[in-house]
Amino acid sequence: MTPEQAYAELIRRSREQKVLSSCVDLLEWDEQVCMPRGGSENRAEQSALLAGITHDQATDPRYGELLSLLEQSPLVADPESAAAINVRELRHDYDRERRIPRRLVEEWARVSTLASQHWGAARERSEFKPFAKWLDRLFALAREEADAVGYPETRYDALLDDYEGGLTTRRLNELFSQLQPALVPLVDQLHGRPAPAPAHVLAREFPLDRQRLFLEGVATALGFDFERGRLDVARHPFCTSIGPGDIRIAIRYHARNFSNGLFALLHEVGHALYDQGLDSDHFGTPLGESVSLGVHESQSRLWENQVGRSDGFWRHFYPQLQGTFHEALHDVPVETFRRVINHAAPGPIRVQADEVTYDLHIIIRAELEQALLSGDLRAADLPGAWSDAYRRYLGIAPKNDREGCLQDGHWAEGLIGYFPTYTLGNMYAAQLFSAADRDIGSLDERFAIGDFASLRDWLGARVYRQGSRYSAAETIERAAGGALDPLALIESLSRRYELSS
Amino acid sequence: MTPEQAYAELIRRSREQKVLSSCVDLLEWDEQVCMPRGGSENRAEQSALLAGITHDQATDPRYGELLSLLEQSPLVADPESAAAINVRELRHDYDRERRIPRRLVEEWARVSTLASQHWGAARERSEFKPFAKWLDRLFALAREEADAVGYPETRYDALLDDYEGGLTTRRLNELFSQLQPALVPLVDQLHGRPAPAPAHVLAREFPLDRQRLFLEGVATALGFDFERGRLDVARHPFCTSIGPGDIRIAIRYHARNFSNGLFALLHEVGHALYDQGLDSDHFGTPLGESVSLGVHESQSRLWENQVGRSDGFWRHFYPQLQGTFHEALHDVPVETFRRVINHAAPGPIRVQADEVTYDLHIIIRAELEQALLSGDLRAADLPGAWSDAYRRYLGIAPKNDREGCLQDGHWAEGLIGYFPTYTLGNMYAAQLFSAADRDIGSLDERFAIGDFASLRDWLGARVYRQGSRYSAAETIERAAGGALDPLALIESLSRRYELSS
């Protein structure tokens, strides 16, 4: 077998595996968006079965043979060549997968499907207690996975690596310990700040059908391609890629809380632009895949905050918004509207949090999940620990479990070690946006004339179409022209929110 | 290994296979209801891959070993026992699957996904020509499958057997040659019949949101359980079972053609009641599965026609209908409405056909697909042959390909040998309904007071919960208390449409 033949087989297998795992993605999308309640047991069986088959394929020893053969061949001599990159990344994934037994993979799929249902029910009733035993099972599985995969210093390393390749707990805590003390004085200044008078405008009546039309228009203007994607409603907003021509967003929107749906849309469109912008010629191989969840999150946070809260964005969209919701906004000038949507104040809910306080929500979750994983915190004690942390970092406490530790579905879905990627994303986004602004020149003026393509193209060349060519850290460094610096985020927040850091 | 252990493993494998094939069903549902156009290529890959894996599982030689072991064991001594029934049916399926190479299964999945997309495009433009080469490919695959499976007399036998186990071409043509000459004089009488004056009431404005609410109400009243199912919109109405608690209906409805959506709903609810009424304890084994497509169709046609066009049904629902669509129906008494929806006249479109002419649409398709399969008819010549047959049997000709040979998506989906099950269903339905009416007593009066449970329970005991215990023919015979007789359908039509046979 020549290296060329081996490489062709490797790529065929990689693509096949991606196609199979995209079937799992569709099962999950359907579960969130379409599935009737009665389907949940069978869905758990379906997910477990497909996850097991995917795992079998991903750990087929044939992969190992092909990789070993290729690693010795001249095909990978140039480390920047497509072959070298794909072989490097597939080796990393193969080694990780090989260490996880199929039984554990199926158990994850089954438990997380059921746990998500129970989380939904617990959240609805705002009662954590019946969910505690599910959380115990989930963290037990996470420990089992970490032990199977192995880690340099602590189990949490093994989980982080799955979402942000190469990131260690030590490095994460180092970044967070730079960020957190710089955020606290900003948040302190918010406590003294009065709410802008007409804050209640967002609680006026924004008819759902009109929101839908307006949001579809915004998504299209930013570059989301409805020919290759869709927009739906789900309890928890998300974006998923079913295939190169099938990228799906789901959000929730409410008649009397306009900003919820709006910023969920901008966030998920940011994810979707990345997925729709990947190089489809390399679909199903690392070169055609996003590099990490942190970088993915940088795209969602960039469009949500750096773009969607800017002056130029609203100079462009406000006239249309005001026309669409004339009853609600007829007496609200654009400056007032911007002040209202950019109002920052500590609150209990992460997905409704402003940009300034957002990362403290994440730092709390990262601390708590490390404690739950190590066993320092028992699941049953989570509500208390949650309230304590919120009091300590944000000066507030949740009224109940629903606005406390039941607000997010991530852990129930088995996403443990995932939350930090949100704050990594915020840090990356601040650096990327400032570099793009420097390269392209006054982005705000571009937005004001409805030009979002300049920014999208800049990101397309430097992020989307790079796939997994470089590590996450290197991708950001090359695009932004400098190493990661948590203080770039502090600077961006201070400037835009007029806070002194 | 004891027979008990072998049986447990057989059942586990059967269930797993059902769970896997239900993932394929979800891919197909999504393709019809949700998928953006850009997703079609990837969907073809997904379907082909899963179909291939399903086929591998279904043909695993381990099945053959388990079946041989069990066939010799005392476990199956009583042919009416659950074990004997499941072993008998799984043997039939295993033998069939083993004869079909995986390559052919994948090719079917890939070609039918693409052909369906091309059919949709061809239908939209009403242009058969570009679709002809797809039809050629589909029938070539059907021939290949028939040759692989084997058949007693003709290739068409092998295809029929997949949808209606045990039915031969000879027996089918015998039934159809009894039915067709009895139908023609009925249809002749329709030609002379004037349309009821206010036929245009159905073309008045029936707002879509109100149709949706009304139809959901009807589905619920008939017994469709929305906790274990959903209702969507698709180009072509269908019902699919994703799992025992997840039965999905899709229909299309139009503001200016109320009866289209209504009867599509009743039809698909009939299918869904069967699926929701199967014995979920036996899910994933023959005892928990519908016996044949013909029997499935008998359920849809029974609720659509025998129930949905009856006097009692409308005595119950008309006041609500009239209230919901006051503008359209304020001047239409219930008797007029019933005359309008029961108006029978030859037309070009099968799904819009009345009960009297419907089976001639099917007999035409059965003849044409036999000719396409044998090679007597070339795909390119289909439009002409289609028009000829319509002129001959129904005295009309389609205006264009869209209302001619492009109207149905079945062949594009790979469903060849499927159409006859519609007419088998009509024949079964007539016999079942008359037996139920005899057993329960005056069903029409039950319907008038909103009692649909009596009929549903009768069908549940005699059809739904029988699963595949008996052959299709025997299931109907036992339920209806007599052998299949095509003239029972003629009698039912003559009586209800006041025609002399």
Side-chain angles (χ1 to χ4, degrees), chain A residues 286-298:
Chain A
L287 262 178
E289 270 163 34
S290 60
V291 57
S292 78
L293 283 178
V295 176
H296 228 307
E297 201 61 24
S298 75

Side-chain angles (χ1 to χ4, degrees), chain B residues 209-274:
Chain B
D209 52 344
R210 290 178 171 241
Q211 281 196 50
R212 171 86 193 204
L213 276 174
F214 178 77
L215 294 178
E216 282 185 8
V218 170
T220 302
L222 299 189
F224 181 78
D225 179 359
F226 280 94
E227 187 76 10
R228 299 188 298 136
R230 29 183 301 141
L231 171 63
D232 293 278
V233 173
R235 185 187 290 153
H236 204 82
F238 72 107
C239 171
T240 190
S241 162
I242 308 298
D246 189 354
I247 308 297
R248 305 187 182 187
I249 291 175
I251 59 171
R252 48 178 172 178
Y253 40 92
H254 308 286
R256 295 196 161 268
N257 184 338
F258 177 64
S259 64
N260 248 16
L262 169 68
F263 288 105
L265 178 93
L266 295 172
H267 182 99
E268 303 306 337
V269 162
H271 282 304
L273 292 177
Y274 190 2

Side-chain angles (χ1 to χ4, degrees), chain A residues 204-206 210 320-332:
Chain A
R204 290 178 180 175
E205 181 81 21
F206 292 80
R210 289 180 172 239
Q320 191 195 333
L321 183 76
Q322 203 173 29
T324 308
F325 301 102
H326 183 74
E327 281 300 303
L329 299 176
H330 69 99
D331 57 352
V332 182

Side-chain angles (χ1 to χ4, degrees), chain B residues 244-381:
Chain B
D246 189 354
I247 308 297
R248 305 187 182 187
I249 291 175
I251 59 171
R252 48 178 172 178
Y253 40 92
H254 308 286
R256 295 196 161 268
N257 184 338
F258 177 64
S259 64
N260 248 16
L262 169 68
F263 288 105
L265 178 93
L266 295 172
H267 182 99
E268 303 306 337
V269 162
H271 282 304
L273 292 177
Y274 190 2
D275 285 336
Q276 289 191 335
L278 290 167
D279 187 345
S280 63
D281 290 343
H282 289 287
F283 172 72
T285 72
L287 261 178
E289 271 163 32
S290 61
V291 57
S292 78
L293 284 178
V295 176
H296 228 307
E297 201 61 23
S298 76
Q299 299 310 299
S300 55
R301 298 294 284 177
L302 186 149
W303 289 93
E304 177 187 358
N305 293 323
Q306 308 276 355
V307 179
R309 297 181 190 276
S310 69
D311 181 54
F313 184 92
W314 288 109
R315 270 194 281 153
H316 178 64
F317 280 114
Y318 197 69
Q320 191 196 334
L321 183 76
Q322 203 174 29
T324 307
F325 302 102
H326 183 75
E327 281 301 301
L329 299 176
H330 68 99
D331 58 351
V332 183
V334 62
E335 301 74 29
T336 309
F337 180 78
R338 272 203 66 222
R339 218 166 39 242
V340 169
I341 59 165
N342 279 315
H343 174 58
I349 306 286
R350 178 184 62 85
V351 293
Q352 289 165 16
D354 60 81
E355 274 190 274
V356 185
T357 55
Y358 190 94
D359 295 298
L360 290 173
H361 290 264
I362 298 304
I363 291 171
I364 289 169
R365 283 158 179 74
E367 283 184 14
L368 291 172
E369 68 182 6
Q370 288 185 56
L372 285 163
L373 188 73
S374 70
D376 289 350
L377 176 64
R378 286 170 46 230
D381 299 329

Side-chain angles (χ1 to χ4, degrees), chain B residues 145 307 353 422 447:
Chain B
E145 177 175 332
V307 179
Y422 288 113
F447 300 161

Side-chain angles (χ1 to χ4, degrees), chain A residues 249-263:
Chain A
I249 291 174
I251 59 172
R252 48 178 173 179
Y253 40 93
H254 308 285
R256 294 197 162 266
N257 183 340
F258 177 64
S259 64
N260 248 17
L262 170 69
F263 288 105

Side-chain angles (χ1 to χ4, degrees), chain A residues 325-362:
Chain A
F325 301 102
H326 183 74
E327 281 300 303
L329 299 176
H330 69 99
D331 57 352
V332 182
V334 63
E335 301 74 29
T336 309
F337 180 78
R338 271 203 67 221
R339 218 167 38 244
V340 169
I341 58 166
N342 279 317
H343 174 59
I349 305 287
R350 177 185 63 86
V351 294
Q352 290 165 16
D354 60 82
E355 273 190 274
V356 185
T357 54
Y358 190 93
D359 295 299
L360 290 173
H361 290 265
I362 297 304

Side-chain angles (χ1 to χ4, degrees), chain B residues 85-149:
Chain B
I85 292 160
N86 283 332
V87 166
R88 178 193 76 209
E89 292 298 309
L90 291 172
R91 162 63 76 187
H92 173 269
D93 299 346
Y94 173 72
D95 286 350
R96 183 183 175 97
E97 282 289 326
R98 284 284 287 179
R99 295 194 194 106
I100 306 175
R102 171 163 173 165
R103 183 199 49 70
L104 182 57
V105 172
E106 293 190 344
E107 190 73 4
W108 257 130
R110 195 172 289 118
V111 170
S112 62
T113 304
L114 295 175
S116 291
Q117 302 287 329
H118 285 274
W119 165 74
R123 183 172 175 275
E124 208 146 294
R125 291 193 311 271
S126 188
E127 196 189 353
F128 174 75
K129 222 176 149 201
F131 182 64
K133 67 167 180 293
W134 288 99
L135 206 58
D136 268 329
R137 286 183 71 178
L138 291 157
F139 275 87
L141 287 173
R143 278 189 286 274
E144 217 182 310
E145 177 175 332
D147 290 343
V149 169

